[in-house]
Amino acid sequence: MKRTALAAFPRTTVAASSGSAWLAFLDATGGTQAFTAGPGAALVPLAYDPRAAVRMERADADALFDTVERWITEHRPC
């Protein structure tokens, strides 16, 4: 997602974003709340804890993949 965001938005806006600021950016540019208040919130623990994916339920992983795919295809400048 970061690579896609870096290709579409200014580096200064994207590169240093992490945690809740990153999720808020994704929501703002995706026209959604799926990152701050939905399945996309799982991106934060997944970025820092390699075991987080193992503990994730299949339905939650599917919802996350759908959310990420939707953002990649539908993101727009703020």
Side-chain angles (χ1 to χ4, degrees), residues 1 4 11 15 21-22 24 29 36 38-39 44 51 54 58 62-63 66:
M1 292 196 71
T4 300
R11 185 169 203 57
W22 173 240
T29 56
T36 56
V44 173
R51 296 166 300 185
V54 175
R58 176 62 187 237
D62 289 344
D66 290 344

Side-chain angles (χ1 to χ4, degrees), residues 1 23-24 26-27 32-43 64 67-68 71:
M1 292 196 71
L23 298 179
L26 294 172
D27 276 348
T32 184
Q33 292 183 334
F35 291 97
T36 56
L43 289 177
L64 174 60
T67 300
V68 168
W71 184 87

Side-chain angles (χ1 to χ4, degrees), residues 2 11-19 21-23 25 48:
K2 205 57 112 129
R11 185 169 203 57
T12 55
T13 304
V14 175
S17 293
S18 64
W22 173 240
L23 298 179
F25 168 82
Y48 300 105

